[in-house]
Amino acid sequence: MERTALDLAKMPDTLAKPREGLFASRWALYTGIVLLAVLASYVYWLKTRSIFACQASGYSADRFLAYCGGGNYADFEDGAFYFNLEPPALDYARDADVLVLGNSRLQIALSNQVMADWFKQAAASYYLLGLSYNENMVFTQELLRRIKPRASVFIINVDDFFERRETVAAKTVLHDPNARNRYEWKRFWQSLHRPLCSALPRLCGQKYVIFRSREDGAYYRIQHEEPVYPQNAVSYDRTIDRAKVDESTALAIDFLKRFAQGRCVILTHAPYPRSLG
C-alpha cells in the first residue's frame, strides 16, 4: 500500500470511485428536485397569475379577451384601444352612429340583446366604449382624440365619469414607457391561450374573465356565453356632495365643449347598489 508524506496509508482508487459516484448521483437527484420545484412553481404561477388563470371559451371571430383576473394579466382593453391592437374594434367605434361612453357598469347594463335589437330596428349602429377600472373622462378623451368618432349621438354614463383622477389602468397606458410592449405581449398570449385552454380546459383556471365584441363593444362572460347581467339589487345613497357636484358640472361642460360640439348628448346613469340618488 502506498504511503503519504505523513506516512499515512493512501486510500486505493478502487475505494474512492464508489463514493464519488454516490456524490454525483445525489447531486443529480438534488438538481432534479430543484428543477421540478421550479417547474411546479412556474405552472402554478401560470394558472393563478397569468392569462391561463382564465378559461378561453368566450373567444370568437367577433370577440377578444378584454380582462382576465390573473393578477399579472388583468386589463387588456385599455391598451388594446389606446395602442390600436384591435384595429377592427376601433374602426367600428369610429364609424358608429351612436357612441356610448362610461365605465363597466354601463357596459354590463347595455350588453344585451334588447340593446342590439332596438338599434337593428332603428337601422342605426352603436358602439359601447365603456371601460373597466371605473374609467372616466381622463382616459376616454385620449381615446376620442385617437379615434375621431363620426357619431352624431353620444350617450354618457355620468357615474363618476366627469372626474380628473387617473385610474390604475390609465396611468399604466398613458405614462409607462414600456406599456405598449406589455400590451403587445398580452395580445400575443391570447393567441396561445385560445387553442391551449380550448383543447385542455383543465389546464386553465377559473378567474373572472370578460370578452368583448369588436363589432359593438359589448361585454360577454364565458360561464353562459351570453352578455353579463348585474346580480345585486339597486339601492341609492341620498347623500349629496355639493362641492363634487359643482366640480363635475364644470368638467362636464368643458368636456362637452371640446368633444361633443354639434352632437346630440344624452346623459344617463346605470344604477347599482348604493348609487348616488
Side-chain angles (χ1 to χ4, degrees):
M1 182 179 296
E2 296 183 18
R3 312 297 290 188
T4 65
L6 297 176
D7 202 32
L8 298 175
K10 181 179 179 183
M11 183 178 290
D13 291 342
T14 54
L15 296 178
K17 288 180 180 178
R19 180 165 293 185
E20 291 174 359
L22 179 61
F23 287 146
S25 63
R26 286 182 177 176
W27 176 251
L29 177 62
Y30 295 153
T31 302
I33 292 173
V34 170
L35 290 176
L36 285 175
V38 171
L39 179 61
S41 297
Y42 183 64
V43 170
Y44 178 79
W45 181 88
L46 284 175
K47 196 168 181 177
T48 58
R49 302 291 298 174
S50 75
I51 192 173
F52 293 99
C54 299
Q55 290 293 321
S57 58
Y59 288 107
S60 72
D62 178 48
R63 299 180 203 161
F64 64 93
L65 187 149
Y67 173 87
C68 169
N72 285 73
Y73 193 89
D75 168 69
F76 177 69
E77 61 183 3
D78 282 48
F81 283 114
Y82 188 81
F83 298 120
N84 196 18
L85 302 181
E86 291 287 343
L90 262 71
D91 290 342
Y92 280 115
R94 180 181 300 109
D95 296 336
D97 298 316
V98 178
L99 196 60
V100 187
L101 308 176
N103 55 26
S104 59
R105 284 188 281 271
L106 176 88
Q107 290 289 118
I108 292 171
L110 300 183
S111 293
N112 56 60
Q113 195 59 45
V114 174
M115 181 80 167
D117 290 345
W118 191 93
F119 274 91
K120 183 177 181 180
Q121 187 173 9
S125 61
Y126 70 97
Y127 199 91
L128 303 181
L129 197 60
L131 296 161
S132 56
Y133 286 85
N134 211 26
E135 204 61 80
N136 56 48
M137 59 172 280
V138 174
F139 186 72
T140 299
Q141 64 189 9
E142 298 303 323
L143 291 185
L144 295 179
R145 289 190 180 101
R146 288 170 176 257
I147 293 172
K148 295 180 173 57
R150 299 166 185 165
S152 57
V153 178
F154 277 2
I155 299 176
I156 303 176
N157 186 32
V158 296
D159 174 25
D160 294 331
F161 184 78
F162 296 110
E163 292 190 350
R164 297 179 187 276
R165 63 180 176 81
E166 290 184 344
T167 67
V168 173
K171 286 179 181 178
T172 298
V173 172
L174 297 177
H175 305 300
D176 186 343
N178 295 319
R180 184 181 184 94
N181 289 336
R182 291 168 62 183
Y183 277 92
E184 286 178 344
W185 271 107
K186 288 185 179 187
R187 180 181 60 174
F188 168 77
W189 280 108
Q190 290 194 30
S191 67
L192 301 180
H193 179 242
R194 181 175 184 176
L196 288 176
C197 294
S198 297
L200 298 168
R202 295 185 66 179
L203 289 178
C204 302
Q206 300 292 333
K207 294 285 189 179
Y208 182 66
V209 60
I210 297 173
F211 292 85
R212 185 170 191 140
S213 167
R214 295 179 177 90
E215 184 173 349
D216 59 25
Y219 273 6
Y220 295 82
R221 60 180 178 181
I222 68 171
Q223 288 86 344
H224 304 292
E225 284 295 318
E226 63 184 68
V228 177
Y229 295 98
Q231 300 296 318
N232 299 320
V234 172
S235 62
Y236 294 92
D237 182 355
R238 301 297 182 182
T239 303
I240 303 298
D241 185 337
R242 180 55 58 185
K244 184 176 181 180
V245 171
D246 292 343
E247 181 185 21
S248 295
T249 301
L251 291 172
I253 292 172
D254 181 64
F255 178 88
L256 297 178
K257 283 181 178 179
R258 287 184 292 127
F259 297 101
Q261 289 289 341
R263 293 184 169 95
C264 172
V265 177
I266 301 172
L267 301 179
T268 187
H269 183 260
Y272 59 94
R274 296 191 64 79
S275 297
L276 293 178

